[in-house]
Amino acid sequence: MTDKKPEIAPELKMRLKAGYDRDWRKELRKSVPIKERMKIPRQKMPEREAGERNRDFGEVNRGLDLEAAVREAQRCWDCANPGCVAGCPVSIDIPSFIKLIEKRDLAGSVRKIKETNSLPAICGRVCPQEIQCEALCNLKKATGVPVAIGNLERFISDFDRSEGTVFVPEPGRPTGKKVAVIGAGPAGLTAAGELVKRGHGVTIFEALHIPGGVLVYGIPEFRLPKSILKAEVDYLQKLGVELRLNFVVGKTATLEELKKDGYDAFFIGTGAGLPNFMRIPGENLVGVYSANEYLTRVNLMRAYDFPAYDTPVIRGRRAAVIGGGNVAMDSVRTAKRLGANPAAIIYRRSRREMPAREEEIKHAEEEGIEFHLLTTPIRYLGDENGRVRAMECLKMELGEPDSSGRRKPVPVPGSEFVTEVDLVVVAIGQSPNPLMAQTTPDLRVGKWGNLEVDWKTMGTSMPGVFAGGDIVRGGATVILAMGDGRLAAEEIDHFLRNGHR
Amino acid sequence: MAKILRRERLVPNIHLLEVHAPEVARKSRPGQFVIVMPDERGERIPLTIADWDAKRGTVTSVFMLVGTSTQKLSLLQSGDEIPVYVGPLGRPSEIRNFGTVVCAGGCFGIAAIYPIARALKQAGNRVLTLIDVKASYLFYWEDKLKETSDAVFVSARDKRYNSKEYVPYKLDTLLKDEKTVDRVVAIGCTYLMYACAEATRAAGVKTMVSLNPIMVDGTGMCGACRVTVDGKTKFACVDGPDFDGHAVDWQELFSRRKSYFDDEVKSLCAWERERFS
Ligand SMILES: Cc1cc2nc3c(=O)[nH]c(=O)nc-3n(C[C@H](O)[C@H](O)[C@H](O)COP(=O)(O)OP(=O)(O)OC[C@H]3O[C@@H](n4cnc5c(N)ncnc54)[C@H](O)[C@@H]3O)c2cc1C
Ligand SMILES: Cc1cc2nc3c(=O)[nH]c(=O)nc-3n(C[C@H](O)[C@H](O)[C@H](O)COP(=O)(O)OP(=O)(O)OC[C@H]3O[C@@H](n4cnc5c(N)ncnc54)[C@H](O)[C@@H]3O)c2cc1C
Ligand code: SF4
Ligand code: FES
């Protein structure tokens, strides 16, 4: 993302204004004076008790009930210049959907959100709202406490699923064109949905046996229940999207071969699936996992239900997770649930620099996760069977800010110490998956192995081939991947209708 | 999803699995593998592609019974569907005219070496095939191997075949007898491959081994399959499975393959209880 102050495009401004000027909106604004609205406290998200939830994989957040949601919606001022929208990467008309909740027109609110966000049930659960819409909410500027936009988004999508109001839009008139979408993560699923609505034939090719990308193999059940994803994928199939699982593009068939099979355009959304390691001694000992492997075993392969499911996972007694992002939080909370005590985060900077979502850090703390900050491992020690038994760490202190603006950790000389561990999860980031680039020589690749695109169109160096999500951005977010998928779909539509972009 | 065309017991502990998977068949090359999940609750396990027919769209693997997944596979019948059958994965074996090549195989490797021997033969090599079996009744695919080899030597611990020597020792003798061996390719259990690599180390004959670390996705996404080759970490599923046997850290591979020993026993017991009692 750029550091530029987000601005609202003129076209979007007009759309927002049209909603703002509706009579019912004017009346609603008047019905409760601002002063009254400001007296309403931010509605708390009901959560399962920490000591109960840290032993199972049930969802942590329960969701707001209708009355709490309406009260929360009343907190929103319905601003003429809503800051929130500028913070949303897919420009949801936030005041409109919130005011429809206040008006108790829940079906209307669903429709409003879905104009620009096809997967609100997922975004409402995993978006980092505190640095996006909620960070720019005018109420936050005034009082420090923004409207709980994320919780409202989740509320409305839960209503959508429970009431079965899911309206299946008419697919566009068939164009006779075929698009291959490679990768069934949020980027690919979004692109597929948008393309099929425009009347194109869409086939998604996915390497794994369940669609969803990181949403199914990475993010755990307790944060994003699999049933939600399943509902979304069912919906795409209802719209006519064909799903080809267990198909590795580049291996089962290359992009060029698919072209010969009659696909007219491509969207590549293969994600950042290559796990990074630190390259320190002992990293290949048994019991040292990449976060991808650890989470894949537990989530995708359901090792938490071993031996009812066949895939095992090492259930550490003393677990250390290296890193401070969402992936690290998900891993450590998983280890805790599988019985590790202590389950600890080892992070080389301080709490302030941790890139994980605020809610994840808070939940982890409540669940009894230990945090060893300003600490980094330098090697792992094994026993006679090649299993990890301890790790040696180094204390750090914060020095000058680095290129990312965060203060750079520097080692404290002589601060080495050894601590016993029998499970280590390395969660220090992922790189773009190299398979597509290796097997499609015409694709231009950037410094970090990411596919290079024209950001205005998401077009790659090959005509008719578009890309988005983590494969172009490196590890980013669900909503940015979805935004890319949507933009690319528009451009692919344009390409298919005009023969060029 | 892939339909089973044939599942057959070749010898008491080894079965053949032939499925309809036209896309996999179309792209298969010697040395590549598929990832298979025997049922919805199963584990993803790699099996080498032992034969294929692009025209009929069929792919054949041969597996040895060791644990839950392979036991489950052995009970499937033709007509059944396997939920996951994905490939071809890994890099194909290097096939060129090297001169004289020894192809060594044991257990499932007797089948896994077959397409490699065939391709090497087609490329003009003199192919000497060395087979290791614990007992002569565990030998299968003799005819197929004879077709693709200039000579087949079989070592069995009983007397029926030419030699009772463990294959790596036999390899040692062969290196002395033959004026030139330009390359050795070994597939089978880890110990056999290790011993073959050790047997050729002194003579410096390039020995390629098809490593069999534990895998999950088979596409380079998880790192379960890390092996150390030449001091560097490699992902066997995408960088291999073939590596230079003289550069492999064998000790690490042995211990990583035992990561889940207790769990594997537990899994098999649980499955047997559910299935048979
Ligand atoms: C544990 C974890 C927690 C996270 N938590 C959050 C969070 O709370 N909030 C947030 O916004 N973001 C979070 N992220 C980041 C977010 O999940 C990603 O940015 C997002 O999923 C990227 O979407 P994508 O569609 O680009 O790729 P992915 O989700 O990675 O999907 C790519 C898909 O392509 C498939 N594929 C790859 N190669 C091929 C091929 N050759 N042929 C066929 N298929 C292929 C893969 O199997 C995969 O299914 C988290 C990430 C992880 C790992
Ligand atoms: C590239 C490759 C090709 C292979 N080709 C063949 C083949 O053609 N025929 C054949 O019989 N075997 C082959 N194997 C080995 C085969 O995958 C294992 O024997 C099988 O996974 C055992 O599963 P199980 O559940 O029956 O046994 P388990 O009881 O689970 O395990 C028995 C042993 O097999 C190994 N193993 C377990 N799970 C896996 C896994 N997910 N991936 C890899 N190894 C595992 C472990 O070392 C374990 O100790 C190959 C392995 C690799 C990596
Ligand atoms: S900025 Fe905040 S108060 Fe204003 S419309 Fe957006 S959510 Fe409501
Ligand atoms: S099996 Fe997952 S990276 Fe090789």
Side-chain angles (χ1 to χ4, degrees):
Chain A
M1 268 196 294
T2 55
D3 298 329
K4 243 186 8 206
K5 196 168 160 253
E7 271 178 41
I8 297 188
E11 174 267 336
L12 174 58
K13 232 177 209 159
M14 277 171 57
R15 186 155 58 84
L16 293 176
K17 179 135 184 3
Y20 183 80
D21 288 340
R22 289 273 170 79
D23 288 339
W24 69 264
R25 288 274 283 277
K26 287 183 190 156
E27 262 159 47
L28 202 62
R29 276 196 294 275
K30 268 188 265 158
S31 68
V32 185
I34 295 270
K35 257 206 198 127
E36 289 302 311
R37 293 182 186 273
M38 287 182 67
K39 282 190 199 143
I40 309 172
R42 178 165 159 134
Q43 303 295 303
K44 276 218 178 66
M45 168 63 82
E47 295 166 354
R48 290 169 59 221
E49 210 258 308
E52 169 202 311
R53 72 185 192 228
N54 72 8
R55 278 177 257 161
D56 64 33
F57 283 77
E59 193 174 10
V60 168
N61 289 340
R62 292 173 184 282
L64 301 175
D65 63 24
L66 175 63
E67 291 315 313
V70 169
R71 267 196 304 280
E72 186 62 36
Q74 283 174 339
R75 291 182 67 228
C76 165
W77 295 341
D78 194 6
C79 305
N81 288 307
C84 54
V85 180
C88 175
V90 295
S91 311
I92 296 179
D93 182 348
I94 293 169
S96 280
F97 100 78
I98 292 183
K99 289 302 123 180
L100 284 162
I101 297 179
E102 181 175 342
K103 196 175 154 219
R104 296 175 191 258
D105 177 2
L106 302 186
S109 183
V110 171
R111 233 169 294 142
K112 183 49 76 182
I113 284 200
K114 286 204 165 172
E115 276 176 13
T116 45
N117 182 340
S118 35
L119 303 168
I122 291 160
C123 295
R125 286 173 169 81
V126 305
C127 273
Q129 286 94 5
E130 71 274 12
I131 59 165
Q132 299 184 122
C133 52
E134 292 184 21
L136 298 180
C137 168
N138 296 344
L139 194 55
K140 174 165 183 185
K141 277 171 236 162
T143 68
V145 189
V147 175
I149 303 169
N151 293 348
L152 288 175
E153 183 180 22
R154 175 189 157 148
F155 165 78
I156 205 67
S157 69
D158 285 351
F159 162 81
D160 182 24
R161 276 185 308 130
S162 65
E163 299 294 302
T165 52
V166 186
F167 69 111
V168 179
E170 291 289 308
R173 253 203 294 133
T175 61
K177 303 280 186 187
K178 286 203 316 179
V179 186
V181 170
I182 306 172
L189 293 175
T190 308
E194 295 303 316
L195 285 163
V196 79
K197 280 186 224 160
R198 288 172 167 80
H200 306 300
V202 181
T203 306
I204 306 182
F205 295 92
E206 166 57 47
L208 294 171
H209 56 281
I210 306 180
V214 166
L215 306 181
V216 22
Y217 77 73
I219 300 181
E221 186 79 16
F222 56 80
R223 209 149 67 80
L224 179 66
K226 303 284 167 284
S227 55
I228 289 173
L229 196 73
K230 177 140 192 335
E232 299 297 346
V233 173
D234 288 349
Y235 167 76
L236 285 183
Q237 287 181 300
K238 235 181 270 165
L239 288 180
V241 171
E242 192 198 346
L243 200 54
R244 294 290 316 273
L245 300 173
N246 305 310
F247 195 113
V248 186
V249 178
K251 287 287 175 188
T252 313
T254 60
L255 191 144
E256 290 298 339
E257 285 164 333
L258 291 177
K259 209 181 240 175
K260 284 194 202 110
D261 287 349
Y263 288 95
D264 303 295
F266 295 83
F267 176 77
I268 304 176
T270 48
L274 182 71
N276 295 340
F277 286 93
M278 291 172 71
R279 297 164 196 275
I280 58 177
E283 228 170 4
N284 292 348
L285 288 165
V286 175
V288 182
Y289 285 111
S290 75
N292 272 4
E293 181 185 354
Y294 184 68
L295 292 170
T296 299
R297 283 181 178 274
V298 177
N299 298 325
L300 183 74
M301 305 309 296
R302 301 198 182 228
Y304 66 83
D305 203 3
F306 179 87
Y309 285 77
D310 296 347
T311 304
V313 70
I314 291 171
R315 297 180 180 227
R317 277 178 301 118
R318 299 174 60 86
V321 174
I322 320 300
N326 289 325
V327 188
M329 295 304 143
D330 284 343
S331 302
V332 77
R333 294 172 69 197
T334 298
K336 181 86 195 176
R337 282 165 171 74
L338 292 177
N341 193 18
I345 284 285
I346 312 288
Y347 181 55
R348 63 194 179 123
R349 305 187 202 236
S350 71
R351 168 106 161 53
R352 278 230 329 252
E353 285 85 18
M354 279 210 270
R357 291 180 61 208
E358 188 53 40
E359 184 186 52
E360 271 234 76
I361 301 174
K362 171 183 145 279
H363 280 163
E365 284 171 342
E366 289 167 2
E367 289 166 12
I369 303 302
E370 286 184 10
F371 286 76
H372 299 281
L373 304 172
L374 292 166
T375 307
T376 197
I378 51 174
R379 70 185 168 122
Y380 302 104
L381 306 165
D383 65 12
E384 66 283 2
N385 296 317
R387 294 183 166 253
V388 65
R389 62 170 175 84
M391 70 180 184
E392 185 171 342
C393 296
L394 197 58
K395 289 301 249 181
M396 310 292 268
E397 59 192 6
L398 291 180
E400 297 298 309
D402 66 8
S403 56
S404 73
R406 294 183 299 177
R407 290 176 65 195
K408 201 176 155 162
V410 287
V412 179
S415 65
E416 293 86 350
F417 66 97
V418 172
T419 176
E420 270 178 43
V421 287
D422 57 3
L423 169 65
V424 174
V425 180
V426 182
I428 57 161
Q430 288 92 235
S431 307
N433 194 316
L435 200 59
M436 282 307 304
Q438 280 168 4
T439 56
T440 321
D442 291 344
L443 281 176
R444 198 159 50 234
V445 174
K447 242 197 297 195
W448 292 282
N450 53 305
L451 294 187
E452 280 187 358
V453 293
D454 170 353
W455 289 100
K456 286 201 214 66
T457 64
M458 305 313 287
T460 66
S461 53
M462 289 172 73
V465 180
F466 299 73
D470 282 3
I471 185 70
V472 303
R473 295 175 181 271
T477 59
V478 171
I479 190 68
L480 288 171
M482 290 175 32
D484 289 352
R486 171 178 291 270
L487 172 58
E490 269 170 40
E491 294 295 325
I492 290 173
D493 182 55
H494 199 66
F495 170 82
L496 290 174
R497 289 175 197 279
N498 305 312
H500 59 83
R501 59 166 191 268
Chain B
M1 207 111 89
K3 186 174 241 127
I4 299 181
L5 302 175
R6 192 152 62 103
R7 200 273 316 138
E8 184 179 289
R9 204 185 74 164
L10 294 175
V11 295
N13 63 345
I14 291 184
H15 292 241
L16 174 146
L17 179 73
E18 185 184 32
V19 306
H20 183 70
E23 272 137 352
V24 182
R26 180 167 81 162
K27 292 283 282 181
S28 289
R29 295 290 172 274
Q32 290 190 296
F33 62 93
V34 288
I35 292 251
V36 177
M37 202 165 120
D39 62 31
E40 299 292 346
R41 291 176 167 237
E43 192 175 1
R44 294 170 64 99
I45 65 158
L47 296 178
T48 305
I49 298 170
D51 207 353
W52 64 92
D53 184 333
K55 278 208 206 80
R56 289 172 52 230
T58 63
V59 183
T60 301
S61 289
V62 164
F63 61 92
M64 185 164 85
L65 295 179
V66 286
T68 311
S69 313
T70 44
Q71 292 285 357
K72 280 182 171 179
L73 283 177
S74 74
L75 296 179
L76 295 175
Q77 302 299 343
S78 56
D80 289 349
E81 302 262 8
I82 314 189
V84 174
Y85 194 90
V86 51
L89 301 172
R91 294 177 193 240
S93 300
E94 193 186 346
I95 304 291
R96 274 193 291 125
N97 190 346
F98 299 103
T100 298
V101 183
V102 174
C103 291
C107 51
F108 74 81
I110 299 172
I113 200 87
Y114 166 71
I116 300 174
R118 181 175 63 187
L120 286 168
K121 181 79 195 144
Q122 273 163 11
N125 292 280
R126 179 156 172 265
V127 176
L128 307 177
T129 301
L130 268 186
I131 296 301
D132 192 80
V133 284
K134 288 227 165 57
S136 45
Y137 65 87
L138 296 177
F139 188 25
Y140 58 94
W141 279 23
E142 184 167 3
D143 296 348
K144 283 175 88 117
L145 285 168
K146 280 194 170 141
E147 260 168 49
T148 58
S149 318
D150 292 276
V152 179
F153 302 90
V154 181
S155 298
R157 297 302 100 78
D158 52 29
K159 286 209 183 83
R160 206 174 126 205
Y161 287 103
N162 2 35
S163 161
K164 271 175 75 174
E165 258 178 324
Y166 185 41
V167 146
Y169 306 133
K170 176 73 192 157
L171 184 56
D172 207 31
T173 338
L174 202 68
L175 286 191
K176 286 183 196 120
D177 294 352
E178 290 285 323
K179 290 277 135 26
T180 50
V181 170
D182 300 288
R183 196 182 180 85
V184 174
V185 185
I187 307 195
C189 59
T190 320
Y191 190 79
L192 176 100
M193 294 189 286
Y194 158 74
C196 285
E198 289 311 308
T200 57
R201 191 186 290 276
V205 177
K206 180 96 162 182
T207 300
M208 298 305 287
V209 289
S210 175
L211 296 188
N212 52 1
I214 293 175
M215 294 188 174
V216 182
D217 59 301
T219 65
M221 179 271 270
C222 76
C225 60
R226 348 206 249 294
V227 290
T228 301
V229 181
D230 227 353
K232 288 192 205 71
T233 296
K234 300 279 179 191
F235 287 9
C237 69
V238 285
D239 301 325
D242 290 4
F243 293 99
D244 176 352
H246 296 152
V248 170
D249 180 340
W250 290 100
Q251 218 45 57
E252 179 181 282
L253 179 62
F254 282 124
S255 58
R256 286 189 66 79
R257 279 184 47 83
K258 285 191 209 118
S259 299
Y260 304 103
F261 192 78
D262 296 342
D263 281 338
E264 282 153 7
V265 175
K266 197 161 151 195
S267 164
L268 190 57
C269 292
W271 174 76
E272 281 177 347
R273 218 174 305 125
E274 189 190 303
R275 168 102 201 178
F276 298 113
S277 66

